Amino acid sequence: MRIETQCLHEGYSPKNGEARNIPIYQSSTYKYESTEHVGKLFDLAVEGHMYSRISNPTVAMVEEKIAALEGGVGALCTTSGQAANMLAVLNIAKAGDHIVSSSEIYGGTINLFNVTMKKMGIEVTFVDQNAPLSELQKAIRPNTKLVFGETIANPSISVLDIEKFAQLAHSNGLPLIVDSTFATPVLCKPIEYGADIVVHSTTKYMDGHALQIGGVIVDSGKFDWANGKYPEFTEPDDSYHGVVYTEMFGKAAFITKARVQLMRDMGVYPTAISAFLLNMGLETLAVRMDRYCSNAEKVAEFLCKSDKIEFVNYPTVKGNKYYDLAKKYLKGCSGVISFSIKGGRENAVRFMDSLKLASNEVHVADIRTCVLHPASATHRQLTDEQLIAAGITPGLIRFSVGLENVDDIIDDIKQALENV
């Protein structure tokens, strides 16, 4: 099936007389016919649901759909995009280890890596993703366990050279994790370009309606966890009576370990109703992404003509330094534009407070147009140096184009610019 059809049909195929929509299994527990079967579940010897902190039938259907959309062997839904990033990294790295990440990533992820994981004993080196491979190689250490980047960075709207980062990772025997939240599998499938693990904040385009927080991890099934660098995958897990993940689960070793170890212990698993609502968003994802991209291109073209705009970051704009990478990796650049108002923070705030249609929200990738000043909100905790490294100026505005008539969106921008 092509992706538009997958959005509607993957994950759940009703049998004769069954519900057309995925059923909601709103239950924390499950009943079994024998104690022996329960024992086999806890030995990971048979498939099934033990407890809804680890898995649930409704959530499993959505996980199967997302894995199919990305071309992976399995997926694990989480209660937020941050939880997805956290579990994906902790499934590989531990105290004393090191990770390499692009500096142009979401501010919350920078904080997760640079503060919280630092407290856990995991060090991070942030690199300029536009640097040549030889320069990036200098960041790799003997204890480096993974490389991380974002397909379309939030909020700089830079485009990651996925193949270059995959080469950096794989030449050192490391996996590449790519956050593809803004692209979604409709616009880019990072696994096709060498990514080993793909993460999303499903809160954004996948949900689409600003209904709930969520995340997901997708396992490509292509990385060799038995290359000698990751003994936790190849040595017995005492918490499951000596299970060896690479031997028992093969290509699905990573995603299985993330579920039965980390999800078991941290419990950041979504409810059945959350998965049901997420699925409703996924069903229209392909249609919505087409409209987001179309609207955003027209808004970006309008902004480029204004003498009150310092610069516009949107990869399809002629002259954008990511134009060629966007053509290579993306089927569209999402509905998120970043641009800088001349005059800095004061004029940026004045412009935003003058908008009438667009909502000032700590959100992005909604069906409705919304706007944010990153330096005052999502990236407020960063230093000036970190802001610059993330591609954020004092006057930078993140503008998330919605599904309204594009002329109405542009009219709103026009009247707001008159106050600057």
Side-chain angles (χ1 to χ4, degrees):
M1 291 186 288
R2 292 164 178 80
I3 197 161
E4 296 85 353
T5 310
Q6 286 181 308
C7 284
L8 292 166
H9 293 280
E10 286 284 8
Y12 174 61
S13 298
K15 298 180 177 64
N16 185 48
E18 291 185 340
R20 172 61 270 182
N21 288 312
I22 66 171
I24 302 172
Y25 288 87
Q26 194 64 40
S27 180
S28 63
T29 54
Y30 308 93
K31 181 179 179 293
Y32 313 100
E33 294 181 353
S34 71
T35 304
E36 180 185 8
H37 184 77
V38 177
K40 288 181 179 179
L41 282 172
F42 276 84
D43 283 343
L44 307 181
V46 295
E47 293 185 1
H49 301 283
M50 291 181 272
Y51 199 59
S52 285
R53 190 178 73 239
I54 298 175
S55 66
N56 170 279
T58 306
V59 186
M61 295 172 193
V62 179
E63 289 169 339
E64 185 178 336
K65 174 176 284 189
I66 295 173
L69 294 177
E70 284 289 7
V73 297
L76 176 64
C77 283
T78 63
T79 51
S80 70
Q82 285 293 80
N85 283 333
M86 180 181 69
L87 264 61
V89 173
L90 292 181
N91 203 35
I92 304 170
K94 62 184 183 303
D97 287 338
H98 171 256
I99 66 177
V100 172
S101 172
S102 165
S103 62
E104 294 192 46
I105 59 174
Y106 171 55
T109 310
I110 291 175
N111 204 63
L112 171 67
F113 290 172
N114 200 40
V115 178
T116 302
M117 287 196 171
K118 189 175 182 179
K119 293 177 181 177
M120 297 178 178
I122 299 171
E123 286 192 74
V124 60
T125 297
F126 292 107
V127 297
D128 176 4
Q129 66 182 40
N130 302 308
L133 193 59
S134 57
E135 189 66 26
L136 295 173
Q137 178 61 38
K138 295 176 183 178
I140 302 296
R141 304 177 186 174
N143 62 335
T144 303
K145 287 299 179 79
L146 63 94
V147 177
F148 185 95
E150 287 184 13
T151 305
I152 303 174
N154 175 12
S156 65
I157 319 301
S158 59
V159 180
L160 182 71
D161 189 341
I162 303 172
E163 288 185 345
K164 181 176 73 174
F165 264 55
Q167 185 178 349
L168 171 69
H170 297 162
S171 64
N172 290 281
L174 309 172
L176 172 61
I177 300 179
V178 173
D179 184 331
S180 202
T181 295
F182 277 8
T184 80
V186 174
L187 302 182
C188 179
K189 296 186 179 184
I191 291 171
E192 295 180 354
Y193 299 102
D196 300 292
I197 308 298
V198 178
V199 292
H200 292 272
S201 167
T202 61
T203 314
K204 311 305 190 299
Y205 286 120
M206 284 188 169
D207 176 280
H209 297 78
L211 290 175
Q212 61 188 350
I213 305 295
V216 70
I217 308 168
V218 181
D219 182 1
S220 72
K222 295 182 178 181
F223 189 77
D224 179 15
W225 299 105
N227 67 4
K229 290 179 177 286
Y230 304 95
E232 58 269 39
F233 288 92
T234 58
E235 294 179 359
D237 180 356
D238 293 338
S239 67
Y240 284 106
H241 304 292
V243 163
V244 176
Y245 292 101
T246 51
E247 292 179 2
M248 194 163 186
F249 300 102
K251 292 182 177 181
F254 175 90
I255 205 69
T256 303
K257 178 176 174 293
R259 182 185 301 277
V260 301
Q261 269 191 355
L262 294 174
M263 189 61 77
R264 172 199 63 191
D265 293 347
M266 296 185 180
V268 287
Y269 200 63
T271 63
I273 188 65
S274 294
F276 177 83
L277 293 172
L278 172 57
N279 186 65
M280 291 182 69
L282 290 171
E283 288 179 336
T284 62
L285 181 62
V287 179
R288 288 185 290 108
M289 292 310 296
D290 184 62
R291 179 64 173 268
Y292 286 124
C293 294
S294 174
N295 277 1
E297 285 190 8
K298 292 172 184 175
V299 170
E301 289 171 4
F302 170 79
L303 290 169
C304 285
K305 297 174 184 176
S306 173
D307 59 4
K308 296 182 179 181
I309 305 297
E310 187 178 10
F311 62 80
V312 177
N313 288 336
Y314 194 72
T316 62
V317 171
K318 289 183 180 179
N320 185 282
K321 66 179 181 179
Y322 297 105
Y323 183 87
D324 291 337
L325 286 177
K327 289 292 183 184
K328 177 178 180 180
Y329 293 116
L330 304 172
K331 295 179 181 177
C333 298
S334 86
V336 185
I337 304 166
S338 68
F339 59 93
S340 188
I341 298 280
K342 290 180 180 178
R345 184 185 297 252
E346 184 179 341
N347 276 351
V349 170
R350 184 178 291 115
F351 166 80
M352 289 175 55
D353 289 347
S354 298
L355 291 166
K356 296 178 180 178
L357 178 68
S359 301
N360 193 335
E361 299 177 3
V362 186
H363 189 51
V364 68
D366 192 359
I367 53 173
R368 302 167 189 85
T369 297
C370 53
V371 63
L372 181 83
H373 185 238
S376 298
T378 55
H379 292 65
R380 190 180 185 90
Q381 77 279 12
L382 302 188
T383 64
D384 289 344
E385 291 77 13
Q386 287 177 317
L387 286 170
I388 292 169
I392 300 168
T393 64
L396 190 80
I397 290 169
R398 186 183 70 185
F399 197 88
S400 179
V401 178
L403 302 183
E404 300 95 343
N405 184 292
V406 71
D407 291 332
D408 290 329
I409 300 172
I410 291 173
D411 285 345
D412 192 30
I413 295 172
K414 281 181 183 177
Q415 65 85 22
L417 283 173
E418 291 175 359
N419 294 317
V420 174

